[in-house]
Amino acid sequence: MAKIAFILLCHKDPKAIVDQAQRLTAAGDYISIHFDARANKDAYAEIQEALAGNASVTFVRNRVRCGWGAWSLVEASLRAVEAAVEAFPRATHFYMLSGDCMPIKSAAYAHTFLDETDVDYIESFDFFSSNWIKTGLKEDRLVYRHVFNERQNPSLFYGALEVQKKLGLRRAIPEDLQIMIGSQWWCLRRRTVEWILEFAKSRRDVMRFFKTTWIPDETFFQTMVRHLVPDSEIEGRTLTFLMFSDYGMPVTFYNDHYDLLLSQKFLFARKISPQAADLKTRLGELYVSGREDFRISDEGQSLFQFLTTRGRRGLRFAPRIWEDQAQIGRERTLLVLTCKKWHVAKRLADRIINETHVNGLEYIFDEEDTELPELGGIETSLTKRTRHNRALLRLIFDSYQTSKLLICVDPSNIEVLRDFARDRAEIHILEIECDFSDAYLLGHAQRIGLARENTPPEVVNGIIAPIRQTFEDEIATIRDEGFAHLMRIGETRSASENATALARFLNIELDAARNILDIDYLFFE
């Protein structure tokens, strides 16, 4: 039966490394760990201490200071492979992993899979004729020498490249090699890695060449395997499921990708989000479960291409929340009190809530400090609340688990009322008519910054009339909209008229409406 020695290159997150090592070795496999020499020493000590008693774990003693795109990554890989070959004589396969990789099949499935076919799994495409490199340098990676790191010293990296080009310092590729390129996440048989280690010792010219190529972890092992192993014994693909965007960035997997990952024809997946704790737990349990009944559909890559292509055309796989879930709901009733005197609407809302036990809120679209239930942060500011009105209300309905909700809306907020009227829910609007004294209008002008306490009387007189007209225009606009369920109570209307309108608004008995309105301070300023 196959026994896997995992080759792990890592530089952070000691707990995740320990968890991964314990998980993989618990199923009878091995792991060889190279922890970046430039990384935190205490973190490395923590890993060594936690795994000290595990005979299926070995560490690279002479560690390398690694840099992205540099030869150091290949050197670290070779040293980890050497350590694994020496420490685990029973290992039949050597599988390259990163700290972001997780199994998406069980160990039992992986062992059976590797036993079925005696091949090496590694992506290897012709460097020059393939379109594997999407952006950045291509031929320049090989034909010029790279001694500076592009990420650490970009000016020196590109400066040295330009100097070589100007001076014509192109170099020859070793004649007997066909340079190949592909993913660095390979799975090789023991005989193959032993051949590579022997070749590395005997062909110093090849090693010198790769030491100054750019991003050699995408070319070294890929070229070596094709050079040393018959084509019939190479499966030209990786066993690690990974996808890249058109910009060369790896696609990250999260908690809701569990079922998708299990259905792919791979043994591991990269890269798993550090925040996907639930996904990591489930995949870890899966690896030691012994399960082998996986249904492979392998639609991941085509699905990703489908979704990204739709995005580029301005289409989407699913409607946004403010489209799909912007509807309040056909079986729900929204009760809206609209009144310019907020304290009057709040008094009536309080009476309705206490007497009918309906869930209610005040001026959620007009007043910043209105209290709302926790809705994932959307409730924290007026700007967020008013971005998608009906989506907010749907969340509130869901939070309260109710089919009826009461809110207050300022008459000036006609667009909010129009938005509600377009919904499938039943919308009842109760307009509360109030008288506006000159004193109230002056106070309003002061509250909104149109007047101050020392504003001259002639200026005040010029302000009050336009404000009164504005209030009247707002009410007229609401009445002209033709809302299906618009009722009205008023300060100058009879008690019978008001009770009848409120009973229709709330769909309650007339006596219950009279009881709610049985307060003598409703319209007090």
Side-chain angles (χ1 to χ4, degrees), residues 11 48 89 111 121 131 180 293 353 363 391 477-478:
H11 65 282
Q48 287 183 303
H111 295 154
Y121 293 90
N131 192 34
M180 309 297 289
D293 58 329
I353 292 168
Y363 286 85
T477 300
I478 291 175

Side-chain angles (χ1 to χ4, degrees), residues 89 139 183 232 276 349 355 363 496:
E139 182 182 16
S183 167
S232 60
E355 295 298 326
Y363 286 85
S496 176

